[in-house]
Structure formats: structure tokens, C-alpha cells
Amino acid sequence: MRLSRTIAFWMLAVGLLVCHLVVIQHSLTARFWEDEAFNLTVPLNLLAGLGYSSDGALSGSTITPFDARISTGPAVLLPVAGMLLFGGDPVISARLVPVMFWSLLIAGLAVLGARVGGRWAALLGAAAPLAFNGLGSISPIQGPADLLGEIPAAALLVWALIAVRKRPWLAGLLVGLAIQAKLIALLALPAFAVMIWVGAPGRGWARIGQTFVRGWLPLVMVGVPTLLFELWALIALGPSGFVDHLRQMKRFLLSGGQSGQATTVSQKLETLSGAWFVPGWAAWLTAAIVVALVIAGLIEVRRRGRLRRRSLALALTAAVGALVFVSWWSTAAHTPLWVRHPAVGVLAFFPALVIVAYWGAHELMTPRVSRADSASTGAEPVNVRRIAGGVLAAALSASLVWSIAGHVQQTSVPRGETLATQRADVAVIAEWVDETQTAWLAAAPWGAAVAPIVMSGAHVGLFDAPSMARTPRLTGQQCDTEVLVEARHYRVCAPAE
């Protein structure tokens, strides 16, 4: 029986690895979209000697040092710059960095699962991120290779969960790096405060005091990456420029970088329920199963008098982390219906809850007395508790399998545009840019026109910016002026007189 379970485990593990590779390959070749392209301008400019600057397409369309509109931070973009030093295709080189973080995310969840619930919990933890579907909005996460900060931030938070018990200072540093991958990772701080509190000795006020003693160094380490980055900004911008940089950052954080129609809590929750590769009702049912297993497992081990602090800490931390991210996003009426916004918490804390749910199911299915005692006394027959634990664990596993199958199946759906078709389309424009030494092109409008400009080697501005008034425009629409160069889907129009 043990051999058959081992064979089944490794067969499923290999199958899961294949699914991850299929998804990664599909993501690497997906359309290079505007947010990725905008992020890529920073490492390109850094290597060109322009400092840590974007092209400022959303900030006046001039080179903009430490652009507040670039919410993907240096923890991602500096490694991208390092990858670009090796040459090769800049898009693929840049996308390999998020793929590395995706691998760290999956490995971290496997380690976390193995520590809490053994190899099967490790397998479920490594599978859970594949259930998430970030495609369903105007601002998507197409896959693990997207040059965005959400997946790197989630990976760093997961490894912080692993480190916090024995090396809290390292956990603090990892959280700080997560914040410098995506600023929204700041919302993870309450979850880590809870984990430090659970791990502190004593009771009552003594425990709170120990929490402060154990927590001050991690809190300092959280701030180190941000302090170093802002010190770099101060040196580069000077005092007055730095003050303006802080004002821009404050404005961006308070607005979420967006303006438009207000959204409601019900709309946000409906969007979140649709962000999985299963129907909405199945997503809600899976969430209910996870919560039920976590609570029932904690009650069961408490009843036996052997509650493991590690399991309790992970359960409370993951619950607080997931609740904070979802609560903030659902109540932030100024933010649009983009599941990218809570994705950091979803990818880090939801899989952690799945791990604890499996642990809870295992505890429910474990007899309260030994087999020898059961044989001699007739105690602990198969009962409702053990049956319920098995049924709920099977339902949770089935939901994950359904989601992963849906994700893999989605990779076979024909795509209107891919990285390969973009390259073919941009080749003639890139040749024209090189021949004419055109430094800037204006995207008309913001959206699909942005990535081709970055891929062409020119700086990207926005067509309605005053600085772009005499700059050729790249568009997918018809030109109302002379066509300077034309590809299959895009063309460059002469500036208006």
C-alpha cells in the first residue's frame, strides 16, 4: 500500500511539473503587452546610461527618473537589467526573471506544505497557484512570465513565511524586498505581525512584550530595501526633486493610479470568484471547503490536546493575509475590477490556506486512538468525522485538478496576437527606426501601440502629450497624415503640421 501511494505521488508530481512547464512556455510566447513594455523601459534606460528612469509615457512623455507610475519595483527590474547584459532577445530575457520568481513561488509553497502536512500537502501547495486565472480583465496577468511585480512579490512573501520562525530578520528582509517588487505587498505586514505574535512565548501582556522584542528587528529589516532605494533617489534627484518624487508617490498610492467609475464590494467579489479556472459556484464551494477544513482541523487537534503552533501560526497568518488583501481591494471603490490588485495576497496566502486545509483533513481522518487500542477495545470506528474529512479532502483535490486542467486547456486556445507575430510585425518598423535614428515614437492611443514601440528600439511617449506634438505616431488605426512606414497591423504616421 505504501509503495502504491509513493508511485501515485511521483506520477502526480511529474504530471504537475509538466503542467507548470506547459503554462510557462505558453506565457513566454504570449503577447508582450503595454504594462510589461512600460516596465521594460526602466532597465533599458538604466543600461543606456539614463539612470533608473522610465520613458514617462504616463508622466509627460519625457525621461522620468524614479517614475511613480512604475509600480513594479527594483527587486524585479534590477535583475531584468542584469539579464539584459547577457544580450539576446530583450523580451525573453526580461521575462525569464518573473519565471524564476514563479519557480521560487512553487518551490516555497512545496517547502511550506512539506513542513506542515507532508508530501501531499507540498503537492497541493505547488498546484494551487495554477488555479488562479488573471486573464479576465483589461489589465491582466497573462501568466508566470509577465514582466510584472505581482508574482515576484508573492514568491518573496512565501519564503518569508518559511523563514519567519527561525530567522525572523530574514523574513523581514524578504517582506521588504516584496514591497520593492510590488508596493501593494505592504498589506502583508499585519499577517506577519500575527505570525510573530503566535510564535512568541508567554501569555497576556508578557506575550505581547515578547512579540515586540522578537518583532523590532524584522520590522527594521522590512524598511531596509525601501530605505536604500529612496536614498538612491535622493542622491540622483537632489532634495527638491526628491520631495516632488515623494509627492508623486503619495498621489499614486492614494489614487491607485486609476480614476474612473466607482466599484462596489459585490462587483469585486464577483470578479474574484471569476478569477479561477472553474465556474464561480465551484470557486465559492472550494473556498467554503478550505475554511471548513482549516477550522475543523484546528478544533480536532485542540480537542486532542496537541495543537501544533506551526500549523496554528500558518493558519492565522494566511487567513489574516488573505482577508486583508481581499478586504482592501473589495472596499477600495476607486480601484477598477482588476484582479491584479489583490493578486499578491491571492498567490501567497490562498495556497497557504490550501496547505492548512489538507493538514486539517488529515487530522480529521486520523484515528483518535492507536490501531492496537482500537483492536483491543473496539474504540474509534469509522465515523462521520473521518468520512467528512476524506470527502472534503477529495472535493478540494478534485477542484484543484479541474482548475489545472482548465488552465492547461486554455493554453491551446488560438491567440489573436503572440510575441512571434509582434516580432514579425515590428521588424520593418524597427529597421526604419534604426535607419532614420528616430529616438521617440508616440503611442496612439495607450494600449496595443506601446509594446511595438519599445520592441522597435525607440522611446515611447503618449500621442496627446505636449512633448509629443512633433513626434511620429505609431498606431493600429488609419493615419490622417503621411504614412512613414507600415507593417501588417501597425503603421507610423507623420506628425501633424
Side-chain angles (χ1 to χ4, degrees), residues 116 296-298 300-301 304 306 308 358-368 385-386:
V116 172
L298 291 172
E300 176 63 21
V301 294
R304 299 181 194 185
R306 57 180 185 84
R308 292 174 60 192
Y358 170 81
W359 166 83
H362 183 268
E363 293 297 332
L364 290 174
M365 292 186 290
T366 300
R368 290 178 181 169
R385 169 181 58 81
R386 295 173 67 186

Side-chain angles (χ1 to χ4, degrees), residues 215-299:
W216 73 266
L217 181 57
L219 185 60
V220 169
M221 297 303 292
V222 167
V224 167
T226 299
L227 178 64
L228 292 175
F229 181 67
E230 295 303 331
L231 182 62
W232 182 14
L234 174 61
I235 294 171
L237 300 174
S240 60
F242 182 70
V243 170
D244 184 61
H245 158 73
L246 293 180
R247 287 174 180 156
Q248 294 292 332
M249 185 67 68
K250 176 185 175 182
R251 187 177 298 117
F252 180 78
L253 289 175
L254 293 178
S255 68
Q258 303 297 327
S259 60
Q261 186 176 359
T263 54
T264 65
V265 173
S266 60
Q267 287 177 318
K268 294 289 182 57
L269 294 179
E270 183 180 357
T271 300
L272 183 61
S273 68
W276 310 93
F277 288 98
V278 291
W281 64 266
W284 284 114
L285 180 60
T286 304
I289 290 172
V290 168
V291 172
L293 285 174
V294 170
I295 294 174
L298 291 172
I299 292 173

Side-chain angles (χ1 to χ4, degrees), residues 383-407:
N383 57 22
V384 174
R385 169 181 58 81
R386 295 173 67 186
I387 292 173
V391 170
L392 291 178
L396 175 59
S397 301
S399 178
L400 277 176
V401 170
W402 187 2
S403 296
I404 293 169
H407 199 159

